[in-house]
């Protein structure tokens, strides 16, 4: 199969392919998604096959507006209206209990709840409207690879396996949406993202809880996807605390490690190592934007024994960045002892 790259003039054609049951990857503000018509179970099945994704890991249903969730949702949480008004379109996925048989178990993994999101990307919202159906959309990477933040990343992983990719350049945020479970009494964050706990608490004036496993590594997560080893490059990653860079570099030199560096410009300026991916600036936003791109680039360069990566404080957006980085690093920090 030839995988076509679509520009915005070709939205009608891309929508037609989706209606015909083909797979088309789409841009969002977080990462690229692998789109299929959510109401065509056979197409949704192919999404799992193409990605090599475990079938018990449910998909997000992408909608063009809040209205589109209504045929499926059994009951909305009292905070829904406020949340949707404030955060949609945006990087926030909401979990609701659904009406029986309203969505295929292939979409929901057989759960009685489903995940919904209205992405903040004009072309994709138009694509959903033109398809006249919600689109499932897991990140458009091969399972286990970092999520794609450019059409090129998608092409690299899925060329020949899907009908096309709607190209809209690099995504803004760089990591997947926040997943907020609204199916119980108290809202719980199952996956941290750019809509942070702090932002939600400020807008809603109520305490927002984090899924226990996000706090305690030993717990089994509620979002099935969080239990899989994700985003891990083949080259081992070590996280390096701000104070530990001198020692980490010395350790690498002493042990004849070929080191790659993933960090902001201030840290990168200090150390001469061969492979490097430097974030656009020293902020956590820039690091989050460049994280997956950087991991992909350094892993592909394939010249290094270890990737040394910058850490951030685990609050606000830092919580999302560190959640993904820790997975890529299998929790390993450079330990000066
Ligand atoms: O930013 C994003 O969310 C991207 C873009 C393309 O929209 N999509 C994305 O999809 O990251 P995916 O499939 O890679 O992640 C969906 C997450 C998984 O961790 C999954 O287990 C969880 O949402 N999830 C889906 N339905 C669920 C449900 N009913 N209950 C709990 N977790 C659910
Ligand atoms: Mg994913």
């Amino acid at each position: 199969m030839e995988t076509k790259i679509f520009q915005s003039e070709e939205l009608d054609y891309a929508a037609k392919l989706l209606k015909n049951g083909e797979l088309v990857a789409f841009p969002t503000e977080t990462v690229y998604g692998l789109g299929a018509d959510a109401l065509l179970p056979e197409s949704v099945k192919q999404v799992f096959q193409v990605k090599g994704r475990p079938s018990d890991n449910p998909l997000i249903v992408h909608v063009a507006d809040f209205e589109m969730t209504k045929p499926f949702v059994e009951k909305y949480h009292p905070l829904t209206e406020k949340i949707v008004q404030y955060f949609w379109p945006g990087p926030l996925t909401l979990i609701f209990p659904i009406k029986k048989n309203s969505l295929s178990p292939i979409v929901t993994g057989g759960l009685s709840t489903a995940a919904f999101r209205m992405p903040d990307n004009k072309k994709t919202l138009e694509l959903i409207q033109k398809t006249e159906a919600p689109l499932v959309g897991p990140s458009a990477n091969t399972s286990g690879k970092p999520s794609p933040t450019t059409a090129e990343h998608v092409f690299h992983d899925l060329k020949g396996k899907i009908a096309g990719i709607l190209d809209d350049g690099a995504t803004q945020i760089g990591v997947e949406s926040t997943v907020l479970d609204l199916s119980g009494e108290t809202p719980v964050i199952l996956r941290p993202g750019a809509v942070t706990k702090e932002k939600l608490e400020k807008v809603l004036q109520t305490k927002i809880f984090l899924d226990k496993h996000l706090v305690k590594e030993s717990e089994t997560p509620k979002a099935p996807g969080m239990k899989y080893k994700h985003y891990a490059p083949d080259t081992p990653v070590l996280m390096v605390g701000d104070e530990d860079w001198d020692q980490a570099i010395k350790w690498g030199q002493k042990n004849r490690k070929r080191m790659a560096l993933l960090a902001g410009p201030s840290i990168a300026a200090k150390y001469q190592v061969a492979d490097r991916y430097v974030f656009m600036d020293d902020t956590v936003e820039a690091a989050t934007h460049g994280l997956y791109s950087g991991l992909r680039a350094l892993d592909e360069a394939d010249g290094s024994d270890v990737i040394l990566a910058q850490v951030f404080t685990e609050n606000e957006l830092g919580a999302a960045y560190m959640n993904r980085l820790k997975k890529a690093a299998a929790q390993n920090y450079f330990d000066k002892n």
Side-chain angles (χ1 to χ4, degrees):
M1 179 189 298
E2 190 200 344
T3 300
K4 297 205 180 71
I5 309 282
F6 299 120
Q7 307 303 329
S8 30
E9 321 78 71
E10 294 160 297
L11 273 173
D12 285 302
Y13 183 56
K16 203 173 124 197
L17 288 172
L18 284 163
K19 276 191 193 195
N20 287 339
E22 307 259 11
L23 309 190
V24 175
F26 58 80
T28 81
E29 75 282 39
T30 59
V31 301
Y32 275 72
L34 177 52
D37 183 331
L39 305 180
L40 300 177
E42 286 306 316
S43 307
V44 179
K45 241 187 228 166
Q46 279 179 43
V47 168
F48 285 92
Q49 282 164 4
V50 159
K51 274 184 63 89
R53 178 179 174 111
S55 61
D56 68 343
N57 191 3
L59 303 175
I60 297 172
V61 176
H62 293 74
V63 294
D65 51 39
F66 179 64
E67 264 317 289
M68 265 182 108
T69 65
K70 290 185 177 167
F72 312 106
V73 176
E74 172 74 35
K75 190 166 176 264
Y76 291 103
H77 190 278
L79 287 171
T80 305
E81 200 183 322
K82 198 160 187 191
I83 292 175
V84 166
Q85 259 181 21
Y86 205 89
F87 294 105
W88 275 17
L92 179 64
T93 295
L94 302 174
I95 312 264
F96 297 116
I98 51 163
K99 295 174 190 159
K100 237 186 166 167
N101 302 323
S102 65
L103 283 166
S104 160
I106 302 168
V107 174
T108 62
L111 298 174
S112 58
T113 55
F116 298 89
R117 154 162 140 83
M118 179 183 177
D120 190 9
N121 180 286
K122 281 213 175 82
K123 293 181 190 176
T124 291
L125 292 177
E126 220 182 310
L127 181 68
I128 298 169
Q129 269 154 0
K130 286 180 188 278
T131 308
E132 298 174 309
L135 299 180
V136 294
S139 47
N141 52 293
T142 304
S143 255
K145 283 263 172 210
S147 295
T149 58
T150 65
E152 289 74 25
H153 295 158
V154 180
F155 193 76
H156 174 274
D157 282 14
L158 303 180
K159 63 171 171 295
K161 297 181 175 174
I162 61 176
I165 304 166
L166 179 59
D167 189 357
D168 193 28
T171 65
Q172 298 90 323
I173 294 167
V175 300
E176 305 84 346
S177 62
T178 306
V179 177
L180 183 67
D181 187 355
L182 288 179
S183 67
E185 216 164 292
T186 35
V188 182
I189 293 177
L190 304 184
R191 178 174 76 181
V195 171
T196 62
K197 173 174 149 69
E198 291 85 350
K199 268 191 211 162
L200 283 163
E201 288 183 335
K202 197 166 164 218
V203 170
L204 303 172
Q205 290 294 309
T206 178
K207 173 133 183 76
I208 300 291
F209 293 89
L210 286 176
D211 181 21
K212 264 193 293 177
H213 97 282
L214 293 172
V215 185
K216 275 199 206 158
E217 298 297 343
S218 56
E219 306 271 354
T220 305
K222 258 191 101 186
M226 300 294 283
K227 72 173 178 259
Y228 297 105
K229 188 172 177 251
H230 249 194
Y231 332 113
D234 295 329
T235 314
V237 179
L238 278 182
M239 299 181 280
V240 182
D242 285 345
E243 313 294 302
D244 299 336
W245 277 94
D246 281 345
Q247 274 164 312
I249 298 287
K250 271 188 204 142
W251 161 85
Q253 286 165 340
K254 196 173 138 209
N255 292 286
R256 298 176 167 276
K257 298 273 187 205
R258 289 172 305 171
M259 291 175 278
L261 190 142
L262 181 65
S266 295
I267 290 172
K270 286 200 208 157
Y271 305 104
Q272 295 309 314
V273 300
D275 283 325
R276 50 178 59 226
Y277 186 98
V278 183
F279 301 137
M280 283 186 304
D281 59 51
D282 289 322
T283 60
V284 68
E285 284 77 17
T288 305
H289 175 84
L291 177 64
Y292 287 152
S293 235
L295 287 170
R296 273 183 184 261
L298 294 174
D299 203 28
E300 232 125 81
D302 211 20
S304 314
D305 303 315
V306 62
I307 297 170
L308 301 177
Q310 181 175 4
V311 302
F312 282 88
T313 313
E314 286 178 59
N315 57 16
E316 311 269 358
L317 188 59
Y321 171 87
M322 289 303 293
N323 172 269
R324 309 314 193 274
L325 179 61
K326 281 182 177 176
K327 288 183 189 202
Q331 313 289 334
N332 291 314
Y333 280 89
F334 168 74
D335 179 1
K336 49 184 178 275
N337 308 308

